[in-house]
Amino acid sequence: MIRTLRRRHLACWAVLGPLILALLMLSIWNHRPTLTQDALPRKATQRRGAGPEARP
Amino acid sequence: MSTGYRVVQWSRHKRVYDATAAFLIVGFLAAYVLIAKARHTGSSAFSDEVLIIRALGACAFVLLHLILCIGPLARLEPRLLPVLYNRRHLGVMTFLVALAHATLVLGYYHGFGVANPLVSMLSTNISFFSFRAFPFQLLGLGGLLVMLVMAVTSHDFWLKNLSPRTWKSLHMAIYPAYAMLIGHVALGALQSDRGWVSFALTLFGAVTVISLHIAAGLREARFDRQTPSLNDAGSPWIDVGAIEDLPEDRARTVCAGGERIAVFKHKGQVSAVTNVCAHQGGPLGEGKIIDGCITCPWHGWQYRPADGRSPPPFQEKIATYQVRIVAGRVQVDPRALPPGTPTKPASVEPGHA
């Protein structure tokens, strides 16, 4: 039982390891910092607080 | 080890471990918030809520890395075994930190609309085929659900009732969950991060976890491939080594037919038991004899060397093996006897002890 689990453990990491690293590499490759979700509410608030002249 | 179940069987060691872990978690959260506040000022400043959400997420992510490193590190370096002792407590703490992160995310980003926050999170972003706009929160939710199942079933009650094999297999789900959480971070927080420090740290963490697990797995596989030396043709007995080479109150482990056998020497007597603890499959051969009992290095479960039974009132049993000493060399019969079968320990001749 233990031997089977050990084999499964090694097989699991042999598959997951390259997948995880590939995912991280892809995310680095595609890294384009844009407007974040965090920034959205703050920017909206800033526009609201800018007064009537700032509105279209 | 107990005859019944308690929610937590507290000991001084566990209290110190948990208090230290809780202190470090709070320290990490405070340090994260303070450093982030100092780094992001002016137009790039984050709100306090966002900082706390990020701090909790980062803390859970770091804790998960630590937990995943403990297992292989303990396999590769036995001196780190004490850290393994309370790993489940650390796992439950990690889940609670991750749950706090998820709850705040739901409330902050999805709690102010007309839709149920969970429905909002599940349905707002469905760009599954876009790399940059991928709904990374779903990956986090998937990882959190796996951690929930593991936290709920972490108690010995479930270990006993699910059977160690099922329980171990179930808890290996943390590996795909880790991959999901890497995806959650890589497609979420890292994409909005303008620097490269977070990327470098995440990559370092992932490479460390993967390397350690593969190194420990290969080491175990190499040990399992060892072919024991037979004595003579047709004899089932396998050679363990010279009696002098067996350390007192410790074991030498041999692998025969895929099963590991731990051969212990204690007070001039040599006994052999399976290397697999009845609790979580811990390596008994890496333990030592305390108070006359073989003690598992993982959680301290104990067995008598002569019959593989736990001392009363405990009722656990493990397989035993016949052992003999011929011309100063220890030999073991690799055919396992039923768990709890008494065997006659081989006596070390005076001058060999």
Side-chain angles (χ1 to χ4, degrees), chain A residues 1-43 46, chain B residues 43 45-46 50 54 109 131-132 136 165 168-169 172 175-176 178-179 182-183 186 190-196 199 202-203 206-207 209-210 213-214 217-218 220 224 258 260 276 281:
Chain A
M1 169 277 244
I2 291 294
R3 198 182 190 191
T4 313
L5 286 176
R6 275 201 291 264
R7 280 181 180 163
R8 210 177 288 168
H9 169 264
L10 188 55
C12 187
W13 281 104
V15 173
L16 282 180
L19 274 178
I20 289 171
L21 293 178
L23 179 63
L24 275 172
M25 290 303 172
L26 268 175
S27 70
I28 292 171
W29 186 259
N30 282 279
H31 183 217
R32 304 277 190 281
T34 52
L35 196 64
T36 66
Q37 288 194 48
D38 313 322
L40 283 171
R42 192 176 66 246
K43 295 219 172 205
Q46 282 168 352
Chain B
S43 63
F46 293 114
V50 171
R54 286 185 165 227
Y109 291 114
F131 193 85
R132 258 179 271 160
F136 65 94
R165 186 194 178 98
K168 274 276 175 191
S169 301
M172 279 171 74
Y175 304 148
Y178 173 67
I182 286 278
L190 292 186
Q191 292 303 312
S192 62
D193 200 331
R194 289 174 192 277
W196 295 98
F199 266 116
T202 309
L203 195 59
V207 169
V209 167
I210 294 164
H213 276 273
I214 290 182
L218 288 175
E220 299 289 330
D224 282 338
R260 292 185 185 182
V276 182

Side-chain angles (χ1 to χ4, degrees), chain B residues 66-85 87 212-213 216 219-220 283 286 297-298:
Chain B
L66 290 178
I67 288 170
L68 286 172
C69 287
I70 288 174
L73 277 176
R75 306 291 312 130
L76 295 167
E77 177 50 64
R79 277 179 297 181
L80 293 170
L81 275 168
V83 191
L84 191 77
Y85 179 67
R87 186 171 54 167
L212 282 174
H213 276 273
R219 185 173 173 267
E220 299 289 330
E286 291 171 28
W298 282 9

Side-chain angles (χ1 to χ4, degrees), chain B residues 235-255:
Chain B
S235 169
W237 295 86
I238 58 171
D239 187 55
V240 178
I243 184 67
E244 293 90 355
D245 295 342
L246 251 69
E248 181 66 21
D249 288 340
R250 296 272 181 177
R252 168 167 284 193
T253 308
V254 289
C255 187

Side-chain angles (χ1 to χ4, degrees), chain B residues 281-296:
Chain B
L284 290 174
E286 291 171 28
K288 57 185 173 185
I289 293 186
I290 299 173
D291 300 330
C293 288
I294 296 165
T295 306
C296 180

Side-chain angles (χ1 to χ4, degrees), chain B residues 92-153:
Chain B
V92 173
M93 283 186 198
T94 305
F95 165 70
L96 292 175
V97 174
L99 183 66
H101 166 77
T103 308
L104 285 179
V105 165
L106 270 184
Y108 187 72
Y109 291 114
H110 301 278
F112 298 105
V114 288
N116 179 295
L118 197 57
V119 173
S120 164
M121 194 192 78
L122 292 171
S123 58
T124 302
N125 184 355
I126 51 169
S127 309
F128 291 101
F129 298 103
S130 163
F131 193 85
R132 258 179 271 160
F134 192 87
F136 65 94
Q137 289 181 338
L138 297 184
L139 292 172
L141 182 66
L144 186 71
L145 288 176
V146 172
M147 288 167 74
L148 168 69
V149 172
M150 294 183 57
V152 167
T153 59

